[in-house]
Amino acid sequence: MDAQSIKVACSSCNLRELCLPMGLNAEEMGKLDNVITTRRRVKRGSALFNTGDKFHSLFAVRSGFFKTCVTTADGRDQVTGFQMTGEIIGLDGIVNDVHSCDAIALEDAEVCIMPFDQVEELSREFTTLQHHVHKIMSREIVRDHSVMLLLGSMRAEERLAAFLLNLVQRLHARGFSQSELVLRMTREEIGSYLGMKLETVSRTFSKFVDDGIVDVKQRYVHIKNTEALRSIVNPPSCA
C-alpha cells in the first residue's frame, strides 16, 4: 500500500457529484481542495484499515471495490458491506476514535483521504458540507436497517434478488449498465453478507438462471428480467 502526496483537486474530479455536495461555491471548493490533498493506492487483498486502528480519516473510493468485515467470536469473517467508487468508507471509526471493522480491497483500488478533524471543522463553516456529512451517516444507518431486514425476514431468493438490485442500482448511478455487472466479490463473501451458506448462494443463482431471470458466467451477471427480481423482493399482494 503506497501513499501518494499529490494534489487531488476535488473541484475537477469527475466523482465529485457522488462523494461531495453540490452547491459549494469556488471559495468553499478551494478550501475543501486544501483539505483533501492525498490519495492512497490499496492493492487487491490488502487492508485500507483494520479493526482497532486509530481513526483519523474518512476515505472516498476513487476507483476499485472494497468489503468491510468483522471477526466473529468463533473466528469467522463476517462481511458487513461492500463499497464502490464514489462511496465513503471509515464512518465506523467516528464513535470510539478507532475502527471497528477491516476494510479490504477486492481489486486494486485508490482512495482520497479526508482527514476527519479538518472535514469536521470545514463542515461547521459550510452548512452544505455539514448537511452532506449528516446525509452520508444517515444513508449508512438506513443501509444497516435494510441489511437487518434482509437477514431477519427474507428467504434466500429474496435476499439475493435484493442484493443484485441494490448493486446494479448503485452501479447505474455511476454510469454503468442497468442490467450487466461484474461481481467483484466471491459467492462466499456474498453468502457471508447475506447470512447464507455458499451452497445456498450457488443454488439460488442457478434457480434464477433456470427461471430466465439472469445469465451468469463466473462473475459476470446479466439481469434479463429486472421486474421478476423486483417481484421476488416485493411480491404482488393478493386482491
Side-chain angles (χ1 to χ4, degrees):
M1 182 167 69
D2 75 85
Q4 294 182 309
S5 290
I6 50 177
K7 194 68 185 157
V8 172
C10 297
S11 51
S12 61
C13 178
N14 62 356
L15 293 173
R16 79 164 190 253
E17 291 178 36
L18 288 168
C19 67
L20 291 176
M22 290 289 84
L24 293 181
N25 62 37
E27 184 192 350
E28 291 168 342
M29 208 68 209
K31 287 185 177 181
L32 198 59
D33 277 349
N34 289 332
V35 166
I36 306 172
T37 58
T38 309
R39 289 183 199 152
R40 180 179 298 163
R41 289 196 179 123
V42 189
K43 287 284 184 195
R44 181 185 174 197
S46 298
L48 174 61
F49 55 78
N50 290 112
T51 304
D53 285 356
K54 188 78 179 151
F55 168 71
H56 298 291
S57 305
L58 298 176
F59 304 93
V61 184
R62 185 173 170 80
S63 64
F65 223 99
F66 286 85
K67 70 172 178 180
T68 45
C69 51
V70 295
T71 305
T72 61
D74 58 0
R76 286 178 299 110
D77 271 351
Q78 170 67 52
V79 177
T80 56
F82 299 104
Q83 297 78 25
M84 63 180 71
T85 302
E87 295 183 340
I88 308 290
I89 311 182
L91 292 162
D92 61 287
I94 295 173
V95 61
N96 290 321
D97 289 328
V98 293
H99 287 289
S100 60
C101 63
D102 303 332
I104 311 293
L106 294 177
E107 60 183 351
D108 288 353
E110 189 174 57
V111 297
C112 298
I113 299 173
M114 308 165 73
F116 187 67
D117 55 348
Q118 295 176 55
V119 170
E120 210 175 18
E121 201 175 310
L122 267 189
S123 73
R124 283 194 286 268
E125 199 177 324
F126 316 146
T127 52
T128 317
L129 183 60
Q130 185 179 54
H131 177 67
H132 189 67
V133 171
H134 290 164
K135 204 169 166 183
I136 291 167
M137 291 176 179
S138 176
R139 191 169 61 219
E140 287 303 305
I141 292 166
V142 169
R143 196 173 285 169
D144 285 348
H145 286 175
S146 301
V147 173
M148 282 192 284
L149 182 65
L150 269 179
L151 299 180
S153 61
M154 287 188 172
R155 294 176 296 108
E157 284 178 39
E158 293 173 311
R159 293 181 193 191
L160 189 59
F163 174 74
L164 290 174
L165 286 169
N166 173 265
L167 207 54
V168 82
Q169 178 192 357
R170 285 157 67 195
L171 286 165
H172 181 57
R174 284 143 187 80
F176 293 99
S177 167
Q178 276 186 289
S179 60
E180 297 181 32
L181 64 151
V182 177
L183 298 172
R184 303 300 177 190
M185 67 292 291
T186 64
R187 301 281 193 277
E188 200 166 12
E189 286 163 339
I190 293 171
S192 174
Y193 180 60
L194 297 178
M196 292 161 60
K197 288 188 168 65
L198 174 59
E199 312 86 74
T200 310
V201 175
S202 299
R203 196 167 57 244
T204 309
F205 264 119
S206 296
K207 185 176 189 317
F208 287 173
V209 171
D210 292 343
D211 291 345
I213 298 171
V214 300
D215 266 342
V216 179
K217 291 187 179 68
Q218 294 174 317
R219 294 199 177 194
Y220 166 81
V221 177
H222 173 212
I223 298 173
K224 296 163 70 177
N225 191 338
T226 306
E227 282 311 310
L229 277 184
R230 288 198 183 113
S231 68
I232 290 169
V233 180
N234 300 301
S237 54
C238 298

